[in-house]
Amino acid sequence: MAYEDPLLTATPILDFGAASIAQLIDGRGWANLSDTDKIGAVYDFVRNEIAFGYNRADDIPASEVLSDGYGQCNTKGTLLMALLRGVGIKCRIHGFTIHKGLQRGVVPELVYPIAPEEILHSWIEVELDGRWINLEGFILDSAFLKVLQSSFANTESLCGYGAGTDCLSAPPIEWNGQDTYIQKTGIVQDFGTYDTPDAFYAEHQQQFGRLRGWFYRSIIRYWMNARVRAFRAGRLKPDVSVAHSHEDEIHAA
């Protein structure tokens, strides 16, 4: 029986055999690129053509993320993994939690107090030339990040509005064969690496509870997505106190 590399296989979540994903890969011609350019092209697509936003759950398949056209760290990571494996690039998921302060400004203040103190987070590790590279900088699309940078132009350290960085004016988000990050400074727990998101989510889930989980899926995420769209379009005035209050919040935790 032929050997099947676990870092290249499809799964129910990494469904890169789905027609929509296969057609995307074929239409973009990604499979014909060098490995370095494959990673860069897929990474840039997920970063900027899949907008920052909140899906119904973390463990949805990649084809659903693509259909939604938006995602956050975990769901955009799922799509990134599926596309990478679809073009023959080995990858895995690295799981964490981040402090909830990182989501302040996006999460409405009315419901922020009931959010879990730690939020499930992940980034993707990709193998290139025998080494593993961390990819996290794809989470915020360029349009959203530009508004964030102009809104908080007087600070380099920000933990809020979906960003956790000490170099806001020039975060390491561009693909150049090195690690990329945009939420790294908010990390609390490190769960290690998993071959697939299916295995990761079988062990770890958002700690919402049944009632809070229903509230998030049915109401809060739509509210959050509306705030993200308004912020991206310049219609939502940012709370500049976030740049300082979140750092204090995290250090006190």
Side-chain angles (χ1 to χ4, degrees), residues 79-101:
L79 180 57
L80 179 63
M81 285 189 73
L83 293 172
L84 288 170
R85 291 192 181 189
V87 297
I89 299 294
K90 294 181 183 181
C91 56
R92 63 192 183 193
I93 184 173
H94 196 147
F96 305 89
T97 61
I98 52 176
H99 191 275
K100 73 173 183 178

Side-chain angles (χ1 to χ4, degrees), residues 80-143:
L80 179 63
M81 285 189 73
L83 293 172
L84 288 170
R85 291 192 181 189
V87 297
I89 299 294
K90 294 181 183 181
C91 56
R92 63 192 183 193
I93 184 173
H94 196 147
F96 305 89
T97 61
I98 52 176
H99 191 275
K100 73 173 183 178
L102 193 143
Q103 301 293 346
R104 199 162 202 166
V106 173
V107 176
E109 282 298 311
L110 183 64
V111 298
Y112 180 78
I114 68 171
E117 289 300 313
E118 297 180 23
I119 299 170
L120 202 64
H121 175 60
S122 61
W123 68 49
I124 305 308
E125 297 185 359
V126 62
E127 188 180 54
L128 179 65
D129 298 330
R131 62 192 177 96
W132 287 100
I133 301 169
N134 303 318
L135 301 180
E136 191 209 51
F138 57 83
I139 300 168
L140 303 183
D141 57 273
S142 290

Side-chain angles (χ1 to χ4, degrees), residues 131 133-135 174-180:
R131 62 192 177 96
I133 301 169
N134 303 318
L135 301 180
E174 301 291 340
W175 168 248
N176 60 8
Q178 304 298 322
D179 298 340
T180 73

Side-chain angles (χ1 to χ4, degrees), residues 188-230:
V188 181
Q189 297 188 64
D190 185 339
F191 296 130
T193 60
Y194 293 76
D195 288 352
T196 68
D198 309 59
F200 176 56
Y201 296 125
E203 292 187 17
H204 303 283
Q205 300 84 36
Q206 300 286 6
Q207 299 302 307
F208 287 138
R210 181 173 297 179
L211 180 59
R212 283 192 298 184
W214 176 88
F215 195 37
Y216 168 78
R217 291 188 301 273
S218 303
I219 299 172
I220 296 176
R221 74 180 185 96
Y222 293 103
W223 196 353
M224 292 167 68
N225 283 337
R227 290 177 64 85
V228 168
R229 290 192 299 270

Side-chain angles (χ1 to χ4, degrees), residues 141-158:
D141 57 273
S142 290
F144 185 89
L145 180 59
K146 286 178 181 177
V147 175
L148 200 62
Q149 289 169 322
S150 62
S151 299
F152 294 92
N154 295 324
T155 183
E156 286 292 346
S157 183
L158 178 67

